[in-house]
């Protein structure tokens, strides 16, 4: 599974636990998902399309390069 970073704060209503019963809050800069849980590809696509996460293309200690996927309109 590709790595993803959060670029806009959001609450994941599908990631609930005793410590966050209303859903986990992700802040900009967090890794998604926060745990090693499996997230369906459809869910990843949905969150990307809403602009909350981006895929990490190249990651190093000094530099993190991320690319936003832009949804192209289908004609």
């Amino acid at each position: 599974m590709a790595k993803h970073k959060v670029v806009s704060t959001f609450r994941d209503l599908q990631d609930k636990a005793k410590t966050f019963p209303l859903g986990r809050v992700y802040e900009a800069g967090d890794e998604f998902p926060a745990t090693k849980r499996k997230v369906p590809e459809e869910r990843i696509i949905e969150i990307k399309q809403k602009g909350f996460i981006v895929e990490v293309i190249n990651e190093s200690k000094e530099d993190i390069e991320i690319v936003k996927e832009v949804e192209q309109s289908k004609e």
Side-chain angles (χ1 to χ4, degrees):
M1 184 164 83
K3 288 187 174 186
H4 294 87
K5 290 284 184 184
V6 177
V7 293
S8 183
T9 301
F10 74 101
R11 181 182 304 269
D12 187 353
L13 301 176
Q14 293 185 12
D15 186 0
K16 296 180 181 180
K18 220 176 210 183
T19 54
F20 37 89
L22 299 177
R24 182 186 299 269
V25 174
Y26 285 91
E27 302 284 342
D30 290 349
E31 189 171 322
F32 181 85
T35 61
K36 295 199 185 273
R37 72 184 175 97
K38 298 237 180 197
V39 178
E41 188 62 29
E42 296 81 25
R43 178 70 174 148
I44 297 283
I45 292 168
E46 177 186 3
I47 296 171
K48 278 183 185 179
Q49 288 176 340
K50 292 182 179 182
F52 294 125
I53 64 173
V54 294
E55 188 172 337
V56 175
I57 301 300
N58 184 15
E59 184 173 34
S60 68
K61 290 182 181 179
E62 292 85 25
D63 184 39
I64 295 177
E65 180 185 346
I66 56 177
V67 175
K68 288 187 179 181
E69 292 187 2
V70 179
E71 182 181 49
Q72 296 180 357
S73 61
K74 294 180 181 179
E75 297 178 29

